[in-house]
Amino acid sequence: MPALWIAHVTVTDAEAYGRYAELAGPAIAKHGGAFIARGGRFVQLEGRERPRNVVARFPSVEAAVACYESPDYQAALDHARGASERELMVVEISE
């Protein structure tokens, strides 16, 4: 079943986070991920607000987790650590 990768982010260092974004996009695509939303308008109804929200669709939960654990994505993530506060989850789509 397909899955969504959902990230809620507060960027604290735009330059370093920009390097993350440059590397993360290709790593996500390499694992079958496609962005549905990046940034954009949102309405926070509950919980902690993060100004940047990203949603990508993957073929499966396993594909999304494999992406996260891949050397390519981990290299990208090195730039996001210390440059952002974030939550990331993968949720299976029940179709």
Side-chain angles (χ1 to χ4, degrees):
M1 279 193 197
L4 297 177
W5 162 307
I6 304 168
H8 305 289
V9 184
T10 300
V11 175
T12 57
D13 180 337
E15 184 177 329
Y17 198 82
R19 288 192 296 273
Y20 157 78
E22 289 173 12
L23 297 171
I28 288 169
K30 183 176 178 180
H31 288 86
F35 290 105
I36 296 171
R38 284 189 282 187
R41 185 173 172 246
F42 73 96
V43 176
Q44 184 74 30
L45 298 176
E46 292 186 23
R48 183 171 181 182
E49 181 174 315
R50 299 257 185 220
R52 182 163 178 78
N53 299 283
V54 179
V55 180
R57 182 182 174 110
F58 280 83
S60 65
V61 168
E62 292 77 15
V65 172
C67 175
Y68 182 83
E69 294 174 344
S70 73
D72 291 342
Y73 186 77
Q74 288 297 309
L77 194 55
D78 283 343
H79 297 285
R81 292 186 179 109
S84 63
E85 297 172 6
R86 38 188 267 144
E87 287 86 34
L88 175 64
M89 70 184 75
V90 175
V91 179
E92 189 171 65
I93 299 172
S94 51
E95 296 183 309

